[in-house]
Amino acid sequence: MKWKLTVQYLFSVLSIVFIVIFVNLIILIGVLYFQQTNGNDSLSTDTGESFTRQFSRYLSTENEQPLITDEGIQALREFGGWLQVLDSNGHVVTAALAPKDAPTHYSPVELVHIYKYMDDQLTTYYVGQFEEYSYLLGVQNSTEQRVVFMFNAQSFLSYVSKAFVGITIADLLIAMLVGLLFSMIITKPVSYIIDRISQLKERNFSIQKMKRQGVFKPVFSNLNSVSETLQAHEEERMKLEKMREEWISNVSHDLKTPLASIRGFAELLRGQDVMESERAEYAEIIERKSIYMKDLLDDFNLTMRLRNQEMPLHREDTRPASFVREIVIDVLNDPRYSDHAISFEGNAHNAIWSIDRHLMKRAILNFIHNAIIHNDRDIAITISVSDTGLTIEDDGKGIAKQDIEQIFNRYYRGSNTDNIHGTGLGLAISKDIIEAHGGHITLTSDIGKGTKVEIFLN
């Protein structure tokens, strides 16, 4: 591709050079033709030839002798020249403003010589005709010089043709060399641009930098911007694909057990010898498993959306002291937990949290319920609010060190949580909610001394 672009560019350059040479040749021929056909008319009246041809109007004859009028003498002074009138034998019959040492007779050879080559005083001579007389006009140190050369049409045409061919070849070679250098400079980034577009087509979105970008710098910048955008879209697509596969895999795995229970008890219900009391028990188990499946799906959807930042937060400015106090009151009003020792301390009267109240309430309740259901009934739970966050502390069983590192993993149950019901996603959801708000959690615990959870919100 690179060499193809180079050849195309080089061909374009050579074509332009050839066209320019041809056009210049046509213009040159036209100018020469115009000068040849209109040269006399184009000459200014200030030139020596023109002045000399027109000077005959200042000449007249009297008694068969030529005379120069006063206007002619004045014109000679203004022009800076002098004049001699010659008869047919070359004798000077009259003169005006001529130097004292000017010849009084000119032979034909002398006339030809001074007309072609000037004299020793660097005088330029012009010749005119008046009746049977001729006149010689001289201008010393003239700005005009006469160049005489021999011209052979055949040789000239041969020379011109050879010169044209030589100049054309030389110009084309120079243009080819320069065009090749420039084409290599220009076609390299163009070829790179084409390759980059092909890479994008093949879903290669890596960012690449090229040296000597030149005039193509905005193009490369835009290509890298496109690559970054496409890379972001590709990562988003892969993330969604991974999330979808993970969701399907986990849901499929986690639903097998309750589905198997539902199926088994449903088959028992169809039996003829099932007692009425057993039938009610089986129906209750099926209902409980169905509720578990619904809770599992809801919790799993929530944690997946939170971890993939797909869950929009409806933030509200909230005073943490009153907000957490209401949560503690709700827990104590629950008949299952009304006899537990739960205390509240609010030391953040001026603090304001920007939170999603619904999600944050669920996160805090998960920690409180976790402290309740994983300990004995006689433990004490202290919940305190400060300007920087929230602390939930109990004096219960504590958590083993090997369990602390995995306590926030999905479905993980510690060594002291036997026969505890739930989906296994509570603490994972709480952690995801806190992090979605830009906060973080620290958990410390000692066996036999209790557990302390600290929630920090920015």
Side-chain angles (χ1 to χ4, degrees):
M1 177 63 70
K2 179 180 178 181
W3 284 109
K4 183 178 180 181
L5 292 172
T6 301
V7 172
Q8 291 177 350
Y9 179 80
L10 186 59
F11 178 77
S12 301
V13 172
L14 294 179
S15 300
I16 294 172
V17 171
F18 183 80
I19 292 172
V20 170
I21 293 175
F22 180 77
V23 171
N24 289 340
L25 181 62
I26 296 297
I27 294 174
L28 178 62
I29 294 174
V31 171
L32 291 175
Y33 176 79
F34 179 79
Q35 288 184 347
Q36 290 296 325
T37 56
N38 302 284
N40 293 336
D41 296 336
S42 63
L43 292 173
S44 171
T45 57
D46 293 335
T47 64
E49 293 289 350
S50 177
F51 180 79
T52 301
R53 285 196 300 270
Q54 298 177 12
F55 194 81
S56 60
R57 62 185 176 180
Y58 300 118
L59 297 176
S60 61
T61 57
E62 183 177 347
N63 298 325
E64 298 181 355
Q65 292 292 323
L67 296 176
I68 304 173
T69 65
D70 294 337
E71 292 83 357
I73 296 174
Q74 182 63 31
L76 284 173
R77 286 195 177 96
E78 292 176 358
F79 191 74
W82 50 270
L83 187 76
Q84 289 179 319
V85 181
L86 311 178
D87 60 14
S88 58
N89 295 321
H91 294 286
V92 177
V93 294
T94 186
L97 305 179
K100 295 180 179 181
D101 57 350
T104 58
H105 176 269
Y106 296 91
S107 65
V109 174
E110 289 175 334
L111 287 174
V112 171
H113 182 82
I114 62 175
Y115 181 80
K116 292 173 59 177
Y117 306 114
M118 299 187 298
D119 59 12
D120 295 338
Q121 284 74 35
L122 301 179
T123 302
T124 303
Y125 290 89
Y126 304 93
V127 178
Q129 184 70 30
F130 174 69
E131 297 181 356
E132 72 272 16
Y133 299 97
S134 59
Y135 54 88
L136 194 65
L137 189 147
V139 180
Q140 192 173 5
N141 298 321
S142 174
T143 56
E144 294 180 308
Q145 295 183 0
R146 183 177 292 107
V147 178
V148 181
F149 63 92
M150 301 299 293
F151 178 77
N152 186 312
Q154 185 176 1
S155 298
F156 177 75
L157 292 176
S158 176
Y159 172 79
V160 169
S161 61
K162 291 179 181 178
F164 175 74
V165 173
I167 292 173
T168 302
I169 293 175
D171 288 347
L172 291 177
L173 289 176
I174 294 173
M176 183 180 296
L177 179 60
V178 176
L180 181 62
L181 294 176
F182 275 96
S183 63
M184 292 178 65
I185 295 174
I186 293 177
T187 57
K188 183 177 180 181
V190 173
S191 177
Y192 178 79
I193 291 171
I194 296 174
D195 292 339
R196 286 287 289 119
I197 294 174
S198 299
Q199 291 175 4
L200 294 178
K201 181 180 177 182
E202 298 297 327
R203 308 185 75 82
N204 179 4
F205 306 129
S206 58
I207 304 299
Q208 300 180 14
K209 294 184 178 180
M210 181 181 178
K211 298 180 179 178
R212 299 179 182 177
Q213 298 178 4
V215 296
F216 296 99
K217 184 175 181 180
V219 179
F220 291 119
S221 177
N222 289 333
L223 279 175
N224 284 333
S225 297
V226 171
S227 297
E228 291 177 352
T229 302
L230 292 177
Q231 180 67 29
H233 290 330
E234 181 68 11
E235 291 176 356
E236 182 68 17
R237 187 188 68 81
M238 295 297 294
K239 183 175 71 172
L240 293 176
E241 183 68 18
K242 181 179 179 181
M243 183 176 67
R244 184 182 67 84
E245 293 178 357
E246 183 180 355
W247 191 91
I248 294 175
S249 175
N250 289 330
V251 168
S252 299
H253 178 271
D254 295 337
L255 292 180
K256 285 182 179 179
T257 300
L259 282 175
S261 298
I262 292 174
R263 180 180 179 181
F265 285 106
E267 290 177 352
L268 291 175
L269 285 174
R270 288 187 300 179
Q272 298 296 329
D273 55 348
V274 179
M275 299 177 61
E276 193 63 31
S277 59
E278 291 176 337
R279 188 181 302 274
E281 181 183 353
Y282 296 161
E284 182 184 353
I285 294 174
I286 291 175
E287 181 183 9
R288 189 169 64 250
K289 295 296 182 182
S290 300
I291 294 173
Y292 169 78
M293 290 173 60
K294 178 182 179 301
D295 293 341
L296 179 64
L297 288 173
D298 291 342
D299 287 354
F300 191 79
N301 281 331
L302 178 59
T303 187
M304 291 297 291
R305 294 180 67 185
L306 286 170
R307 293 197 175 184
N308 290 280
Q309 299 180 353
E310 298 293 335
M311 185 72 179
L313 300 179
H314 303 287
R315 293 177 179 266
E316 300 178 51
D317 289 341
T318 304
R319 293 191 178 277
S322 58
F323 174 69
V324 177
R325 184 185 295 109
E326 292 177 3
I327 295 175
V328 174
I329 292 173
D330 289 340
V331 172
L332 292 175
N333 287 335
D334 190 326
R336 295 174 299 175
Y337 313 125
S338 58
D339 57 345
H340 283 73
I342 303 176
S343 60
F344 171 76
E345 298 177 1
N347 300 316
H349 301 291
N350 297 322
I352 299 293
W353 290 353
S354 179
I355 58 174
D356 186 314
R357 295 171 63 90
H358 174 73
L359 291 178
M360 187 59 67
K361 180 178 180 180
R362 178 166 184 176
I364 296 173
L365 282 174
N366 282 340
F367 285 114
I368 296 174
H369 289 159
N370 194 70
I372 293 173
I373 64 178
H374 291 298
N375 290 295
D376 298 331
R377 300 180 66 88
D378 58 349
I379 60 103
I381 301 174
T382 302
I383 302 171
S384 58
V385 179
S386 64
D387 292 335
T388 58
L390 170 69
T391 301
I392 302 173
E393 188 174 5
D394 66 69
D395 57 357
K397 300 176 181 178
I399 303 173
K401 290 184 179 179
Q402 65 270 20
D403 295 331
I404 292 178
E405 296 180 357
Q406 305 182 64
I407 198 70
F408 294 109
N409 293 342
R410 290 188 301 112
Y411 311 118
Y412 183 78
R413 298 184 187 275
S415 57
N416 62 344
T417 58
D418 297 338
N419 300 321
I420 299 299
H421 300 285
T423 63
L425 294 172
L427 293 184
I429 290 174
S430 297
K431 180 175 182 291
D432 292 337
I433 291 174
I434 300 302
E435 292 180 349
H437 283 79
H440 65 279
I441 302 172
T442 61
L443 187 148
T444 56
S445 183
D446 291 322
I447 295 294
K449 295 183 179 180
T451 302
K452 181 180 182 180
V453 176
E454 293 178 283
I455 301 173
F456 299 94
L457 293 175
N458 297 330

